[in-house]
Structure formats: structure tokens, C-alpha cells
Amino acid sequence: MRLPDRLKRSKLGVRTPLQKVWPRHRRWVKAHGCCVPACNARAVDFAHLRSAANAGTGVRPHDIFGVSLCRAHHDEQHRIGADALSDKYHIDLWALAAEFGRRSPDWQMRASLKLVHATAIGGTSFSSKQEISHDTTISPGR
């Protein structure tokens, strides 16, 4: 005797996760110098800026929240935090991350963020590549 086909459960509420790692964007950011003024270090890391809104314990933030920092300043950022580092060196790391995101050559990363943002607002989609290339805004979610 043959058993009936197995029922497939609906996947309501289950979404595919947003891609967070963009190697082309990371390489481009690391090709720049350290974001701390007057730092002449040649070796640069890709440093993520973390806030309560973009990462939790053990969760890596999206690469759009990345800046170029030398190893010493990257370690300092982890010790004292992004906001304290910004205050200490009189720079706005969040604005720098937004500028890196706007100028990134990885248009697929920018497009994925635009589509996520548009879907979250009202389910609208973009009809042309020109609309996708508008500025990307980053808010630290403080």
C-alpha cells in the first residue's frame, strides 16, 4: 500500500537573510588609508561600526557599516567604541561609512540595500538603474 504524499509546510514569515558580506566593497574600502587624520599607516583593516540597531552578540553588521582603519586604530575602536574614537579624533565614522557606501563600486550591494529599504517602506520597487544609484543613507540607530 502506498502512503499519501507528504504535506509541505508553508514558510510564512521565513525570509532569506540579507547578504551582509560584500568582498568587492571590502577590498575597495581597504584600498584607502586610515580614516584617522594624520595616520600614515600603510596596512589597513576593514572595520565594522557596531550599534544596537545593526548587530548583536556574535552577529556581524552589514558591510555598509565599514570604514578603513589601521590595526592600531581598529583595536582602539574595539576597546573604546566607535563613538568615543570619533570624539577623540574629531571625525564622524558614521558619516565616513555612509560616504564609503555611496561611492562603493559594488553597485549590487547598493542595489540590495535600496530594494530592502523600499520594501520596508511600502513594497515599492525601482524601475531603472538610475534610481538605484541614488545616495545610500546610514543611520547608526543610537
Side-chain angles (χ1 to χ4, degrees):
M1 172 180 260
R2 184 176 181 275
L3 293 175
D5 292 338
R6 197 167 172 162
L7 297 175
K8 295 185 181 188
R9 297 181 184 255
S10 67
K11 296 181 181 179
L12 295 176
V14 177
R15 293 184 281 167
T16 57
L18 174 69
Q19 180 178 342
K20 291 183 173 187
V21 178
W22 297 89
R24 184 175 181 199
H25 177 69
R26 285 179 176 216
R27 283 190 306 272
W28 183 77
V29 170
K30 286 176 65 173
H32 293 78
C34 182
C35 288
V36 174
C39 179
N40 296 324
R42 300 294 295 164
V44 175
D45 293 343
F46 183 86
H48 287 101
L49 303 179
R50 297 175 191 274
S51 71
N54 72 9
T57 305
V59 177
R60 179 181 298 160
H62 193 283
D63 280 352
I64 196 73
F65 297 103
V67 294
S68 58
L69 292 175
C70 68
R71 172 51 47 190
H73 289 119
H74 191 178
D75 288 343
E76 185 177 9
Q77 179 233 349
H78 281 286
R79 273 194 321 277
I80 67 174
D83 294 333
L85 188 78
S86 293
D87 293 342
K88 180 178 179 180
Y89 294 105
H90 307 290
I91 55 176
D92 187 352
L93 288 175
W94 293 102
L96 287 168
E99 192 62 26
F100 275 123
R102 270 193 286 281
R103 295 185 184 191
S104 176
D106 196 340
W107 65 270
Q108 291 175 318
M109 178 192 67
R110 293 191 321 265
S112 73
L113 290 170
K114 289 292 187 181
L115 293 174
V116 168
H117 180 67
T119 305
I121 288 175
T124 57
S125 62
F126 293 100
S127 58
S128 71
K129 189 174 177 180
Q130 185 177 15
E131 285 182 275
I132 292 173
S133 66
H134 283 6
D135 292 342
T136 302
T137 307
I138 298 176
S139 67
R142 294 182 239 179

